[in-house]
Every structure is written in C-alpha cells, then in structure tokens.
Amino acid sequence: MRHFGHIAPEVRDRLFFQEPCVFTADSSPRVLAAALGATLYSPATRQKLADDVVKQAGRGVVSMVVCLEDSIDDADVADAEENLVRQFHDLADRPADELPLLFIRVRTPEQIPDLVQRLGASVRLLSGFVLPKFTEERGVPFLEALTEAEGASERRLFAMPVLESPELLYHESRAETLAGIFRAVDKYRDRVLALRLGVTDFCSAYGLRRAPDMTAYDVQIVASVIADVVNVLGRADGTGFTVTGPVWEYFRVQERMFKPQLRRSPFTPEAEDLRAALIEHDMDGLLREISLDRTNGLQGKTCIHPSHVLPVHALSVVSHEEFSDAQDILRPERGGGGVLRSAYTNKMNEVKPHRAWAERTLQRAEVFGVTNEDIGFVELLAAGIPG
C-alpha cells in the first residue's frame, strides 16, 4: 500500500516531487508509525464490514480500527465479536485485495487472546489492538495479553494504547499517571506502535463538547493535557513515541457562529467550489486542527468519518520547501552545526536546534511524499476526491 496510491500514476507524477513509499503490514515499526495517517474507526457491529474495508482501501485509507468498545452498546459485545470474526474470515477468503492496516479496539485484556484464537488463519490480516483508557495499572494486563497472543499466533501484533483516563486529566494525578504510562510503554516499546489521544473522554469528565468552529486546542484543559503528553511521551531524544491527533467528530452541516477559518488565498478561482464545500461541511475547522496537531508534535489523526481521511493525508504531505530545508540541515558536512540561509531565501536554518525537526520531516516525506514546488494542499485535496 502507499498513500495516494488510489490516484492515477500520471496525476501523482504531477503532484509529487518525491512519491510516497510503498509499505506493507510487515514493514518496520518506524515506517508504520509514521504511515498510520488518518486511522478510520468502524463499529464491529457493521454487517458489511468486510465490504467497507475494501471500499475504504480503494479510497486511500491505510489504517482502520474495528471497535468493540465505546462505539457499540454494552449489550451488543458478544454479537459484535461474532460479526468481527466472521468479517475477517470473509476478507481472508477473498482474492488478495490491498487492505489497510487493521486493528481491533477491545474492552478487556481477555478479549485479545480469545479473538486471536477465534480468528484462526485470518489473523494474518490483523496488525494489532487498540487498548482503551490506558494507565500503568490497567494497561499492563493488556500488554501481557497481547504478548501471549502474539506468541500463540506467531503473528507480529502491535499495541496502540488510548490515553483517555480521568487520572491523566486531573491535575493532582497527571504527573504520576504519565510517569506510570511511560514505564509501561517503555517496557513494551517494541510492541507499542503509537499512542492515541481520547479527547472526547477528556471533555466528558467536565461535561464539555467543543463546537465545530473550535479545535481541541481552544479547550484549554484539553490543550494542557496534550502538551503534557507530548512533553513526557513524545520527545525527540529517542525515548518518545508517535502520538496521534484527537478525533474530529463533526461531518454534517452545523449552524456557524464564527467566520470561516479557511482563507481564500490558497484557492484558485477554479478551486473556489472546493473551498465552499469544505466550509459547508465544517472542514475548515478540521483543517485548522490538523495543522495545530502537527505544530504541537502530533502525527496522524483518529477519524470517525471517511470524509476526514483526505484532509489529514493532504496536510501530512511534506512541502518542497520543508523538504529542501530538512535536507540542507542534515547534510553530512553540517554535522558541526552552524546557521545557513534556506534555499527559498525566506528563513534561517539552525543546524543543531532544527536537526530533530528535519529528521521527523524526512521520515514523513518517506511515507507521505513531497509535493512539487507549485503544488499545495488544495491541489492534493482536489486530486484525491473520488470522481
């Protein structure tokens, strides 16, 4: 699979200076963590789940989570498990389609080995499990169960813990909870692909819900948690993990209180209809939040609607200017440091302070590609919309 692989080769050639790389479910954890992109969630109760997976793969989705937790009623868990196993068997029996990375969000540790056993041969389609409400105390049994299931199935399985517990939110317990989470995920570092933020649960603890023209960063108590999570768990010194952006929960027209947040200037007259459509469906707020995610050290995003996938991926592509700066900073002859003017002559690149940024940028360039000089996110959005 590859990002933007659903777009015709001649269109990709026009868009990309460096095309996104090809990767598989067996690629290195470093590549997969960077490549997760927009991770699309789907309830395990969907009767046409196998068809949905194939359909979304054809539209550019590269990672999906089949959810047995908050997205389904407590009374439906047993039926959802049966449906999930049946749908995986269906997918495994089909001709070799290019499928996304598939994860299962469970409720209890016991579900992990049980589901792996019930999946049988179709476990080859599974990349891992999403672990809810993760703390050290609650999370370690999940990680132990995953290790057991991995050994029994002889299939590499990753964990994606969700950071969403009240202990992480509350000021008096946050530092201790973060330290405990770090101990747990550090011990199982080779199995932890990414950490996911459960911002909806954070808001729930205070009876809050952000409006469609507000981002997670406008909710100050949520923004403070994101900052602390990145501070402890997202460091660029080799101890950090990939931390993914929070879910954007709107996908239909809402009454708007504030002006649109999407400037006209990036949109050519021909693309004005695209701008209007994005604003109409509250996508301008999503685009702003994605930009803030990356600015604050988050990569990828949890998504609950297919329409959110393309914006996440379009804003994950590295611009030619970013790529040029990163390459200049990482030139071998610059190992001693120093300052240089960018090739675009609009900024100064400081070799030592900007090195970690440059390394992350080239990693993102590997999996999402680099645009040609005259290409921006508008062209990527327009090209990726299904005809």
Side-chain angles (χ1 to χ4, degrees), residues 64-77:
M64 289 187 69
V65 173
V66 183
C67 185
L68 289 164
E69 211 228 356
D70 286 346
S71 68
I72 64 172
D73 191 280
D74 295 346
D76 294 334
V77 174

Side-chain angles (χ1 to χ4, degrees), residues 264-277 378-379 382-383 385:
R264 290 183 181 274
S265 54
F267 292 83
T268 63
E270 294 79 10
E272 180 56 33
D273 287 347
L274 173 60
R275 176 180 180 272
V378 173
E379 288 81 9
I385 295 173

Side-chain angles (χ1 to χ4, degrees), residues 23 27 37 73 111 115 175 222 231 280 290 327 342 347 373:
F23 60 94
S27 293
D73 191 280
Q111 285 178 301
L115 287 168
V222 169
N231 191 335
E280 181 183 353
I290 296 166
Q327 282 195 314
S342 73
K347 71 179 77 66
E373 290 187 61

Side-chain angles (χ1 to χ4, degrees), residues 17-81:
F17 173 79
Q18 173 184 301
E19 286 201 28
C21 72
V22 175
F23 60 94
T24 72
D26 296 319
S27 293
S28 72
R30 178 190 67 83
V31 169
L32 295 182
L36 285 168
T39 301
L40 185 63
Y41 277 54
S42 179
T45 50
R46 286 190 64 84
Q47 295 301 305
K48 294 187 176 181
L49 181 62
D51 293 335
D52 291 343
V53 169
V54 173
K55 178 181 178 181
Q56 296 307 327
R59 293 184 172 184
V61 173
V62 303
S63 63
M64 289 187 69
V65 173
V66 183
C67 185
L68 289 164
E69 211 228 356
D70 286 346
S71 68
I72 64 172
D73 191 280
D74 295 346
D76 294 334
V77 174
D79 289 342
E81 288 181 347

Side-chain angles (χ1 to χ4, degrees), residues 187-209:
K187 181 179 178 180
Y188 291 87
R189 179 173 292 272
D190 59 336
R191 289 184 174 84
V192 176
L193 189 61
L195 305 176
R196 312 200 70 86
L197 284 166
V199 164
T200 301
D201 278 39
F202 290 156
C203 290
S204 173
Y206 287 90
L208 306 176
R209 187 176 191 179

Side-chain angles (χ1 to χ4, degrees), residues 100-174:
L101 304 171
L102 294 175
F103 300 85
I104 299 172
R105 182 174 178 174
V106 289
R107 293 180 172 222
T108 66
E110 294 75 22
Q111 285 178 301
I112 293 176
D114 178 62
L115 287 168
V116 166
Q117 189 274 326
R118 290 162 66 182
L119 286 171
S122 68
V123 76
R124 65 181 174 80
L125 304 179
L126 183 66
S127 289
F129 291 87
V130 175
L131 314 180
K133 299 173 178 59
F134 193 92
T135 62
E136 182 179 29
E137 181 180 0
R138 287 196 295 269
V140 168
F142 280 101
L143 292 168
E144 290 173 343
L146 182 137
T147 303
E148 174 191 340
E150 187 178 63
S153 65
E154 299 183 344
R155 167 71 182 166
R156 182 180 70 171
L157 297 171
F158 289 112
M160 292 201 291
V162 185
L163 310 185
E164 56 186 347
S165 65
E167 299 97 319
L168 183 58
L169 182 64
Y170 298 152
H171 179 77
E172 66 272 17
S173 55
R174 185 180 303 173

Side-chain angles (χ1 to χ4, degrees), residues 243-301:
V243 183
T244 65
V247 68
W248 181 262
E249 59 190 38
Y250 293 98
F251 50 88
R252 296 193 184 279
V253 178
Q254 308 287 328
E255 185 177 357
R256 179 179 294 275
M257 181 180 296
F258 297 104
K259 290 182 178 180
Q261 304 174 80
L262 205 55
R263 294 183 299 110
R264 290 183 181 274
S265 54
F267 292 83
T268 63
E270 294 79 10
E272 180 56 33
D273 287 347
L274 173 60
R275 176 180 180 272
L278 290 169
I279 293 170
E280 181 183 353
H281 290 87
D282 291 317
M283 292 295 179
D284 54 327
L286 169 61
L287 291 169
R288 180 167 178 262
E289 185 167 286
I290 296 166
S291 297
L292 288 168
D293 286 341
R294 196 163 76 235
T295 299
N296 285 278
L298 308 184
Q299 303 178 56
K301 201 165 187 64

